[in-house]
Amino acid sequence: VVVPIVLVDVVKQAVAAAYPSARLEEVEEHNIFSKVGKMSGTIGGELTLKKQYAYPIATFQESKRDAMRAILNALSTASREDGVAIQILLRPAPEGWTKNVVDHATKIKKDKGIKSGGLMAPKELLEALWKAPENKEVKPEDKQLSNLEQATIESLEEKTRHPGYETLIRVVASSNTAAGSQILMKNV
């Protein structure tokens, strides 16, 4: 853990309170950048969500694998001359984030069964050329939510029961060659 000098004692006390058997020691800061590769052997990026923030991500209780093991395996591929850094920045989410998530869940309930995007399967497209359109009048209240939609709504509502944080995750990899740093970055 790297902290400003003014916060060293605070962090030590917090770690000792949470983990009484932890052993803390101060070490000299490590330079992750390769002296041989310089700028050409350094690459970086940010992790982003695939879906909008309203959707929850898997928590450590729900995950079927050990996330820390996956990260440690990726970091273990780095040689002594290589370096990898992962920076995680957190801050409380702005007011109103829960309202946005609840509104999204309400929209899913309201739009139940409506397919978005307007894309048709090739078979449906060919059938539409020869068949007259069918006039099916289904009332929105008659439609049932699919199991996936119901699970999504439940997970959205569960997410709002906990504090939210804006998170930024950055990764930097440095190696003797650009290809080496690309491989390190891809592993992480």
Side-chain angles (χ1 to χ4, degrees):
V1 177
V2 178
V3 295
I5 292 175
V6 295
L7 295 176
V8 169
D9 290 332
V10 174
V11 172
K12 281 182 178 180
Q13 290 172 0
V15 171
Y19 305 98
S21 62
R23 186 176 59 103
L24 298 173
E25 60 183 69
E26 290 185 38
V27 295
E28 194 174 306
E29 188 173 351
H30 177 69
N31 185 359
I32 69 156
F33 298 104
S34 170
K35 292 177 179 142
V36 177
K38 305 226 188 257
M39 287 303 292
S40 65
T42 303
I43 188 170
E46 294 179 358
L47 301 179
T48 58
L49 297 172
K50 288 182 181 178
K51 293 184 177 183
Q52 60 177 304
Y53 78 92
Y55 290 97
I57 59 174
T59 63
F60 71 94
Q61 291 116 340
E62 298 164 347
S63 182
K64 302 291 185 233
R65 62 187 180 104
D66 184 2
M68 188 55 86
R69 179 176 293 191
I71 291 172
L72 291 174
N73 284 342
L75 294 176
S76 70
T77 62
S79 69
R80 193 171 266 304
E81 294 83 30
D82 298 334
V84 179
I86 301 171
Q87 181 184 45
I88 302 172
L89 303 169
L90 297 168
R91 71 176 175 194
E95 287 186 37
W97 77 270
T98 54
K99 183 184 180 314
N100 292 339
V101 174
V102 170
D103 289 347
H104 191 73
T106 304
K107 184 179 182 307
I108 292 172
K109 287 179 191 174
K110 190 177 85 175
D111 295 345
K112 53 184 159 184
I114 297 176
K115 292 182 180 177
S116 62
L119 296 175
M120 298 177 89
K123 181 181 175 186
E124 292 173 346
L125 185 61
L126 290 174
E127 286 177 358
L129 293 173
W130 283 277
K131 285 186 178 179
E134 297 174 8
N135 193 4
K136 295 181 182 175
E137 298 252 349
V138 180
K139 296 177 185 171
E141 54 270 6
D142 293 342
K143 295 179 186 174
Q144 296 293 319
L145 289 173
S146 70
N147 289 339
L148 178 62
E149 289 170 327
Q150 187 61 39
T152 301
I153 291 169
E154 289 172 7
S155 63
L156 289 171
E157 290 170 348
E158 173 66 24
K159 178 178 182 172
T160 61
R161 294 186 186 119
H162 306 286
Y165 294 93
E166 288 182 347
T167 307
L168 177 61
I169 302 173
R170 297 178 182 148
V171 180
V172 176
S174 180
S175 183
N176 295 339
T177 63
S181 58
Q182 288 272 357
I183 291 169
L184 288 171
M185 186 74 151
K186 190 173 184 174
N187 288 342
V188 173

